[in-house]
Amino acid sequence: MVNAARAASAEPSRGLALRIDNLSHGFSLEGHKLPVLERVSLEIEPGEFVALLGPSGCGKSTLLRLVAGLEGADSGSLTADGAAITGPDPTRVMVFQDPTLYPWRRVWDNVALGLEAQGLLKTTKGKVDEALAKVGLSQFARAYPRQLSGGMAQRVALARALVNEPRLLILDEPLGKLDSLTRIAMQQELIDLWQRQGYTALLVTHDVEEALLVANRVIVFSDRPAQIKAELTIDRAYPRHRDDPYLVDLRKQILGLLGLGQSW
């Protein structure tokens, strides 16, 4: 269920409804099939923020690529608003751990890439300025990537995604390479952007605390081939606090599910 705090503070949701039904997928490795995902079923409501947790290499990022339409699943189905996902679409935009900015292009031109590729830039230039304003980088529009901090570069990547006005934002560990203070600030920025824009968000992270701070719901996966081990709804309004006993208890539960029960 979409968190009431988001519904109360955001515009009406324009996010995609996502349905994953009995999905299985694997890779060919030296002539053998390596199963990665096994009979995964999941429904995500429009405007929901869902975080995926699981052991490294279990298939979380593979699932994101399937949702983005960058790969096709071996079996099962994926639909967005009831339509089969058969390839990439501007309504479903993916943000990776590495900002992957072109070093020879200024910030404004990096953000404009999506519109330029669609042949829309001449008539929609204002969207680039709006996207930069959303992430607080208007003053750096003429800067080059080498002149940015890690957090600023990741905000450029977010702006590049937001300029397409996505209805589903797919986040593959976008804060994983940031220092701890920048990461905390960016976590709040992700929440603020999601609340303001009303899109659906799907996040892969290895940080249990991060998942609990930003998401409505947390999905815990097993080892590869990944199956859903648990689903936890986070019944807390935003902003959330790391020392909230409710969140501390959920963190312990999740670490236990991941086989790290003594790590807290």
Side-chain angles (χ1 to χ4, degrees), residues 156-169:
V156 175
L158 281 170
R160 185 174 57 193
L162 294 174
V163 79
N164 294 293
E165 299 181 341
R167 297 182 59 211
L168 172 63
L169 191 61

Side-chain angles (χ1 to χ4, degrees), residues 121-153:
L121 186 57
K122 286 185 179 180
T123 57
T124 57
K125 285 184 177 180
K127 288 186 177 182
V128 179
D129 298 319
E130 291 172 8
L132 285 170
K134 287 172 185 174
V135 299
L137 288 178
S138 296
Q139 292 182 315
F140 290 86
R142 303 301 298 164
Y144 286 99
R146 66 176 180 273
Q147 298 172 301
L148 306 177
S149 67
M152 292 167 70

Side-chain angles (χ1 to χ4, degrees), residues 105-124:
R105 295 179 68 120
R106 297 179 188 271
V107 164
W108 195 96
D109 298 305
N110 267 286
V111 174
L113 276 170
L115 297 177
E116 187 177 322
Q118 297 174 65
L120 301 174
L121 186 57
K122 286 185 179 180
T123 57
T124 57

Side-chain angles (χ1 to χ4, degrees), residues 26-225:
F27 300 112
S28 294
L29 185 65
E30 297 182 343
H32 298 283
K33 192 71 170 182
L34 178 68
V36 177
L37 299 166
E38 188 172 279
R39 299 189 303 276
V40 173
S41 294
L42 178 65
E43 291 191 43
I44 298 176
E45 296 181 19
E48 197 174 6
F49 198 136
V50 174
L52 310 181
L53 288 168
S56 181
C58 75
K60 302 181 299 297
S61 293
T62 297
L63 181 58
L64 293 194
R65 292 180 63 83
L66 295 172
V67 170
L70 300 178
E71 298 179 28
D74 290 343
S75 63
S77 65
L78 297 96
T79 60
D81 278 356
I85 295 175
T86 58
D89 188 275
T91 61
R92 292 176 274 109
V93 179
M94 193 161 178
V95 178
F96 299 91
Q97 186 178 60
D98 189 329
T100 60
L101 305 179
Y102 290 112
W104 61 88
R105 295 179 68 120
R106 297 179 188 271
V107 164
W108 195 96
D109 298 305
N110 267 286
V111 174
L113 276 170
L115 297 177
E116 187 177 322
Q118 297 174 65
L120 301 174
L121 186 57
K122 286 185 179 180
T123 57
T124 57
K125 285 184 177 180
K127 288 186 177 182
V128 179
D129 298 319
E130 291 172 8
L132 285 170
K134 287 172 185 174
V135 299
L137 288 178
S138 296
Q139 292 182 315
F140 290 86
R142 303 301 298 164
Y144 286 99
R146 66 176 180 273
Q147 298 172 301
L148 306 177
S149 67
M152 292 167 70
Q154 197 56 270
R155 281 193 276 161
V156 175
L158 281 170
R160 185 174 57 193
L162 294 174
V163 79
N164 294 293
E165 299 181 341
R167 297 182 59 211
L168 172 63
L169 191 61
I170 305 165
L171 303 155
D172 192 4
E173 291 194 80
L175 312 183
K177 292 186 177 180
L178 302 181
D179 65 86
S180 59
L181 293 179
T182 304
R183 185 165 187 157
I184 290 170
M186 286 293 293
Q187 287 166 355
Q188 186 57 52
E189 190 151 347
L190 281 179
I191 295 168
D192 291 344
L193 286 169
W194 164 69
Q195 288 183 318
R196 292 199 303 267
Q197 300 302 307
Y199 48 71
T200 305
L202 185 60
L203 167 73
V204 160
T205 178
H206 283 102
D207 187 326
V208 176
E209 186 177 81
E210 180 170 274
L212 292 171
L213 288 171
V214 304
N216 298 141
R217 189 157 47 115
V218 174
I219 311 299
V220 182
F221 283 96
S222 67
D223 287 311
R224 189 181 65 244

